[in-house]
């Protein structure tokens, strides 16, 4: 059926639905079986086998496998059983490495899939006459859905009712300007998508107005679904850090290959068998090049992101995790983020006479007065609300804006349920709220008259009222705001006819001031502590709100955001400032009240010009540009619109300021863990290269065979590295200043420490090699000692890298995952050293005294690192 050319009634009948009550519960499962899930087909994922084969695309591994194959062929020709060990062993180790690589990738993918499912869109649907919020994937054709500004459209739908509706359809039509929509529009059957003004389409968003619509197509049957294969070209993006590390890996690879080439040439000139020295050189290259570093960083990032989800911070883009650790300014909304967002209507003022005394006028508690004057104010304000309160099993469920639901609930308690009011006094037209006007208007049929009801900020309302004592209104507004109440003004007028085109200039002027509503939204108990943590961490908290400046200042002072000497300004004052003036003043301003979305962008950019990394919260459609402009855009998970969430880097699932601070803490911890992993892997890899290189140059002998190098790589480079990346965030991480925005990962002396650690491993391994060779009189004795010391000293180093503080202060074995990883590594080493497997690895049994010497050398890194940490601690204290 071509829905856009049919009448609303025909569409509803064709889809076996009901315009008022929606589908029946009994229809849903049948329709879901018929049409399937409301999802687009996803890009086909790699199979486990494809992932496994992808592990062998590295050039050096292919060369190694080719060398192993040649070695195997030679063994077959020479018919020497002992020669089979090395190629078979190399093959087994490479396969084991590949299996571990697949397991790591799968773990990372599952983590990211879990995040994807958590950020799935939702839809407001009417079924069996009840409104509820469901996962958009559960929608079926025939469902009645509600849409408002900021919503992503979850499926193709025919409009049933609309008010001032505009839809952003550039993803579908290429039109950069939002399309005006009208449920009443008559559209030709052959009209192109852009001209179907009575339809809305999946994947687009509502930029203005409200609507009720009936779903006509879901999933791959939608217009977006028809071109889904064009959208199936997503490329896997890397974070800036991953790109830097990948480039670093390439640079180190070049150095390692040069060293390996020298090792090969020196080996050949010193009569080492060509195949043996070739295999050793290639194995050294495979072990030394940190090709797995970006993958391990991905795992550390994704595991960290999972940890953040548990703390109510949903990261949408991995680069945001890196940026979080650098956040130096947090610009936060007040309502619901710093406060509890449990708006309760506690006070009201109704103007009985325009001649009332200014001195005697005061707001009254709603509980203390049940007169008709309050009922009229509540009735009119409830009619001018889109929010609703549903009672299920004795529990209140608030749907929509908390300010509106507090009004609806107050009216309900006074015997005026919203549904009954809507039925008795039907809404005929409306001008939806937007953050520029700060007003919302409805036209209702009340007692046979067309009544325009306007609610919004008093300072905007007062400009549009021609009747009523506005001086009293200003006084009461200031008094309630000083008590940290959020204040809404209500005005009205009667009109004869409703214009075809509603404009703010015509409808929202010439009003009679009816009264004021005062709502309390107390600060969150945890917000004050979170602000204190920010201050300690060198992060500047800033309050940005659409609320009254007196209310905002009172809350900001109570929470510690506004200190003595700090300024609080309004959006109007901000508009009068030039960009240069704002830049000069921005560090002195802690509170911005009555701001517009455009103001938010200016505030972000002013801080950024100061070199700061800015986090900004937002929930509305118009906040999207500011969220994108900020270094870290934080959307509200509860009150936030779909558009805001789509523009943000992070969604706060509990709309809580403390969650932003927790996310910064986790971001710092994750970045520190990545630095630990990088330091550990590069330090150990450099140690392996220097060991083999110097032994070949100095003594023309290879201290480690190819399979020994590969086994060390398998034992030390995977499990301990990942476990190190899962280290708990250190207790003092929020006592440090934010990391500069462009600081490299090797800043703070990490690069020098990595090289020094590599030299330390090389010295220990070469010393072990010489001692082993001299005592046993065999090259294999020296290789056994070097193998044992190099591998096991690296597992000790994994513990050293856990913190810049002494290992004994943080608890040597407090990272249980690292304990298990190192235990696994040690067991694998012991199997090779003390079982018949040692023969395959070219190892021999050593005298007891050599094992004791080796044990001493293995723990040298612990002593060296503890001394280094103690010296650093003394230096820091002196500073």
């Amino acid at each position: 059926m071509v829905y856009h050319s049919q009448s609303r009634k025909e569409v509803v009948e064709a889809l076996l639905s009901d315009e008022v009550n929606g589908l029946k519960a009994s229809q849903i499962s049948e329709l879901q079986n018929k049409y399937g899930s409301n999802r687009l087909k996803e890009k086909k994922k790699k199979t486990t086998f494809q992932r496994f084969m992808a592990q062998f695309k590295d050039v050096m591994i292919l060369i190694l496998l080719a060398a192993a194959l040649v070695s195997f062929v030679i063994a077959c020709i020479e018919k020497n059983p002992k020669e089979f060990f090395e190629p078979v062993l190399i093959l087994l180790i490479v396969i084991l490495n590949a299996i571990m690589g697949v397991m790591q990738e799968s773990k990372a993918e599952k983590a990211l899939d879990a995040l994807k499912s958590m950020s799935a869109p939702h839809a407001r649907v009417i079924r069996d006459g009840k409104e509820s919020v469901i996962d958009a994937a559960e929608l079926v054709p025939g469902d009645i859905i509600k849409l408002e500004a900021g919503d992503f459209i979850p499926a193709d739908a025919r409009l049933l009712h609309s008010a001032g509706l505009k839809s952003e359809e550039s993803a579908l039509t290429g039109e950069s300007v939002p399309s005006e929509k009208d449920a009443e529009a008559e559209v030709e059957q052959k009209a192109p998508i852009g001209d179907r003004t009575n339809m809305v389409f999946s994947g687009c968003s509502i930029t203005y107005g409200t609507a009720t619509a009936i779903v006509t197509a879901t999933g791959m049957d939608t217009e977006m679904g028809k071109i889904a294969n064009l959208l199936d070209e997503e490329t896997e993006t890397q974070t800036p850090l991953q790109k830097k590390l990948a480039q670093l890996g390439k640079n180190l690879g070049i150095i390692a290959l040069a060293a390996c080439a020298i090792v090969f040439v020196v080996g050949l000139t010193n009569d080492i068998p060509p195949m043996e020295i070739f295999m050793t050189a290639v194995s050294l290259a495979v072990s030394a090049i940190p090709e797995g570093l970006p993958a391990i960083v991905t795992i550390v990032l994704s595991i960290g992101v999972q940890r953040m989800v548990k703390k109510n911070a949903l990261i949408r883009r991995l680069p945001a995790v890196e940026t979080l650790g650098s956040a130096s300014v947090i610009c936060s909304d007040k309502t619901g983020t710093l406060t509890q967002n449990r708006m309760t209507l506690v006070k009201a003022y109704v103007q009985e006479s325009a001649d009332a005394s200014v001195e005697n006028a005061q707001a009254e508690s709603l509980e203390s007065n049940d007169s008709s004057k309050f009922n009229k104010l509540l009735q009119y304000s409830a009619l001018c609300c889109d929010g609703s309160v549903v009672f299920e099993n004795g529990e209140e469920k608030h749907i929509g804006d908390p300010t509106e639901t507090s009004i609806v609930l107050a009216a309900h308690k006074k015997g005026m349920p919203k549904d009954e009011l809507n039925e008795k006094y039907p809404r005929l037209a409306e001008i939806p709220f937007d953050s520029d006007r700060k007003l919302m208007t409805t036209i209702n049929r009340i007692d046979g008259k067309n009544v325009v009801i306007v609610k919004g900020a008093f300072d905007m309302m007062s400009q549009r009222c021609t009747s009523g004592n506005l001086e009293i209104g200003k006084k009461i507004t200031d008094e309630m705001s000083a008590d940290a109440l959020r204040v809404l003004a209500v005005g009205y007028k009667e009109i004869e006819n409703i214009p075809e085109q509603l404009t703010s200039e015509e409808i929202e002027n010439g009003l009679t001031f009816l009264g004021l509503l005062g709502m309390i939204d107390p600060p969150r108990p945890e917000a004050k502590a979170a602000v204190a943590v920010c201050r300690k961490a060198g992060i500047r908290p800033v309050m940005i709100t659409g609320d009254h400046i007196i209310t905002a200042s009172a809350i900001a002072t109570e929470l510690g955001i506004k200190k003595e000497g700090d300024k609080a300004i309004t959006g109007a004052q901000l508009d009068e400032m030039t960009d240069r003036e704002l830049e000069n003043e921005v560090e002195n301003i802690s509170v911005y009240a009555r701001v517009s979305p455009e103001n938010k962008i200016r505030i972000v950019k002013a801080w950024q010009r100061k070199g700061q990394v800015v986090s900004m919260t937002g929930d509305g459609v118009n906040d999207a540009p500011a969220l994108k402009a900020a270094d870290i855009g934080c959307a509200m998970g509860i009150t936030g619109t779909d558009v805001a969430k789509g523009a943000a880097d992070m969604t706060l699932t509990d709309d809580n300021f403390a969650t932003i601070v927790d996310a910064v803490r986790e971001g710092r911890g994750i970045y520190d863990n990545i630095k630990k992993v990088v330091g550990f892997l590069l330090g150990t890899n450099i140690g392996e290269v220097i060991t083999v290189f110097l032994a070949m140059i100095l003594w023309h002998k290879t201290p480690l065979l190819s399979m020994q190098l590969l086994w060390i790589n398998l034992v030390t480079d995977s499990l301990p590295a990942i476990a190190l990346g899962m280290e708990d965030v250190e207790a003092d991480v929020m006592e440090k200043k934010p990391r500069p925005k462009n600081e490299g990962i090797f800043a703070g002396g990490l690069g020098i420490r990595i090289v020094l650690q590599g030299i330390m491993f090389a010295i220990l391994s070469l010393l072990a090699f010489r001692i082993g060779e001299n005592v046993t009189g065999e090259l294999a004795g020296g290789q056994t000692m070097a193998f044992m010391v190099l591998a096991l000293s690296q597992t000790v180093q994994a513990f050293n890298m856990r913190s810049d503080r002494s290992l004994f202060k943080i608890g040597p074995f407090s990272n249980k995952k690292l304990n298990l990883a190192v235990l696994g590594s040690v067991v694998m080493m012991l199997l090779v050293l003390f079982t018949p497997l040692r023969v395959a690895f070219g190892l021999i049994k050593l005298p007891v005294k050599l094992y004791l010497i080796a044990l001493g050398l293995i723990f040298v890194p612990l002593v060296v690192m503890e001394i280094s940490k103690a010296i650093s601690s003394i230096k820091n204290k002196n500073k």
Side-chain angles (χ1 to χ4, degrees), residues 98-115:
I99 290 169
M100 293 190 74
V102 170
M103 288 169 66
Q104 289 168 11
E105 276 187 24
S106 298
K107 190 169 186 178
E109 189 178 83
K110 281 177 185 174
L112 294 172
D113 282 347
L115 297 181

Side-chain angles (χ1 to χ4, degrees), residues 412-710:
H412 183 92
K413 287 178 179 178
K414 295 288 184 183
M416 294 180 284
K418 181 82 180 338
D419 292 343
E420 290 181 16
L421 288 175
N422 287 343
E423 195 174 330
K424 191 175 179 182
Y425 309 117
R427 185 182 294 186
L428 306 176
E430 64 182 286
I431 303 178
F433 174 86
D434 73 48
S435 51
D436 293 322
R437 290 173 19 256
K438 295 188 175 67
L439 297 170
M440 175 181 171
T441 296
T442 63
I443 303 174
N444 295 71
R445 190 72 176 168
I446 301 175
D447 300 331
K449 297 174 182 176
N450 297 329
V451 180
V452 175
I453 306 169
V454 184
K455 77 174 194 314
F458 176 78
D459 51 359
M460 303 301 285
M461 183 78 75
S462 60
Q463 301 168 24
R464 297 165 184 261
C465 288
T466 53
S467 175
N469 193 325
L470 298 174
E471 189 182 348
I472 293 178
K474 175 80 167 65
K475 171 183 175 278
I476 301 291
T477 298
D478 289 345
E479 287 174 354
M480 287 202 281
S481 297
D483 292 333
L485 296 184
R486 184 171 191 178
V487 185
L488 277 184
V490 181
Y492 72 99
K493 72 176 180 180
E494 294 174 7
I495 58 174
E496 285 294 324
N497 300 306
I498 302 172
E500 284 188 21
Q501 290 291 326
L502 297 182
T503 63
S504 174
E505 291 73 21
E506 183 180 356
I507 298 297
E508 295 175 338
N509 276 304
L511 303 172
T512 297
F513 175 54
L514 176 59
L516 300 165
L517 299 167
M519 287 145 275
I520 186 72
D521 183 17
R524 287 179 179 266
E526 64 274 25
K528 192 169 186 177
V531 169
V533 170
C534 275
R535 296 277 187 188
K536 200 173 185 182
I539 301 168
R540 173 71 181 272
V542 177
M543 180 189 284
I544 299 180
T545 178
D547 222 337
H548 200 281
I549 190 166
I550 300 172
T551 311
S553 295
I555 297 281
T557 303
E558 185 180 343
L559 292 174
I561 291 173
K562 186 171 181 283
K563 296 281 191 182
E564 193 174 337
D566 287 352
K567 294 180 180 178
I569 68 168
T570 63
Q573 290 171 301
L574 182 58
D575 288 335
E576 291 173 6
M577 298 170 75
T578 65
D579 287 345
R580 177 59 62 86
E581 287 171 338
L582 177 58
E583 194 177 327
N584 292 336
E585 281 292 314
V586 72
E587 291 176 334
N588 302 319
I589 304 168
S590 289
V591 178
Y592 298 86
R594 284 287 188 260
V595 294
S596 67
E598 292 74 23
N599 293 148
K600 282 189 171 186
I601 297 175
R602 288 190 67 201
I603 296 163
V604 167
K605 293 191 179 297
W607 276 111
Q608 286 173 333
R609 285 194 294 271
K610 289 279 186 180
Q612 303 298 328
V613 176
V614 186
S615 171
M616 169 69 77
T617 68
D619 55 10
V621 186
N622 293 341
D623 287 330
L627 292 172
K628 283 185 175 178
D631 298 285
I632 309 147
C634 303
M636 302 295 109
I638 300 170
T639 60
T641 59
D642 292 338
V643 172
K645 290 173 189 174
D649 302 291
M650 178 169 79
T651 299
L652 309 178
T653 56
D654 61 352
D655 291 11
N656 193 342
F657 177 81
T659 300
I660 307 174
V661 181
D662 280 342
V664 171
R665 181 177 178 275
E666 286 292 335
R668 288 187 178 190
I670 290 167
Y671 194 84
D672 284 351
N673 284 351
I674 290 170
K675 286 184 75 170
K676 292 168 190 175
V677 171
V678 170
F680 171 67
L681 287 177
L682 296 187
T684 54
N685 286 3
I686 287 170
E688 290 167 20
V689 173
I690 295 174
T691 299
V692 177
F693 184 77
L694 286 181
M696 292 299 295
I697 298 296
L698 296 173
W699 306 313
H700 311 308
K701 295 174 183 177
T702 173
L704 294 160
L705 298 174
S706 56
M707 58 271 204
Q708 293 168 1
L709 280 165
L710 290 170

Side-chain angles (χ1 to χ4, degrees), residues 222-240:
T222 62
E223 294 298 332
M224 194 65 82
K226 291 171 187 174
I227 57 168
N229 47 351
L230 299 176
L231 304 173
D232 196 18
E233 294 174 2
E234 287 184 27
T235 54
E236 292 179 17
T237 55
Q238 287 188 313
T239 72

Side-chain angles (χ1 to χ4, degrees), residues 241 245 293 297 300 668-683 724-725 739 743-751 753-754 757 801 804:
L241 178 60
L245 290 176
L293 194 54
V297 168
V300 173
R668 288 187 178 190
I670 290 167
Y671 194 84
D672 284 351
N673 284 351
I674 290 170
K675 286 184 75 170
K676 292 168 190 175
V677 171
V678 170
F680 171 67
L681 287 177
L682 296 187
L724 194 58
R739 175 171 51 85
E743 182 182 278
I745 195 162
F746 297 108
L750 180 62
R753 288 201 301 275
I754 287 170
Q757 285 163 24
M801 294 300 292
D804 289 335

Side-chain angles (χ1 to χ4, degrees), residues 123-127 130-134 139 143-146 215:
R124 285 172 69 184
V125 65
I126 297 170
R127 288 177 178 173
K130 294 178 182 175
E131 183 181 326
S132 60
V133 178
I134 64 168
L139 284 177
D143 265 326
I144 305 297
I145 56 172
K146 283 192 165 185
V215 174

Side-chain angles (χ1 to χ4, degrees), residues 334-336 339-346 389 396 398 401-410 413 484-488 517-522 547 551 639:
K334 176 183 74 69
T335 306
T339 58
Q340 294 179 27
N341 206 18
R342 287 188 198 148
M343 297 301 266
T344 308
L345 198 51
V346 289
V389 180
E396 293 173 15
H398 293 234
D401 182 78
T403 304
E404 292 196 335
T405 57
S406 71
I407 296 169
V408 171
L409 184 62
K413 287 178 179 178
L485 296 184
R486 184 171 191 178
V487 185
L488 277 184
L517 299 167
M519 287 145 275
I520 186 72
D521 183 17
D547 222 337
T551 311
T639 60

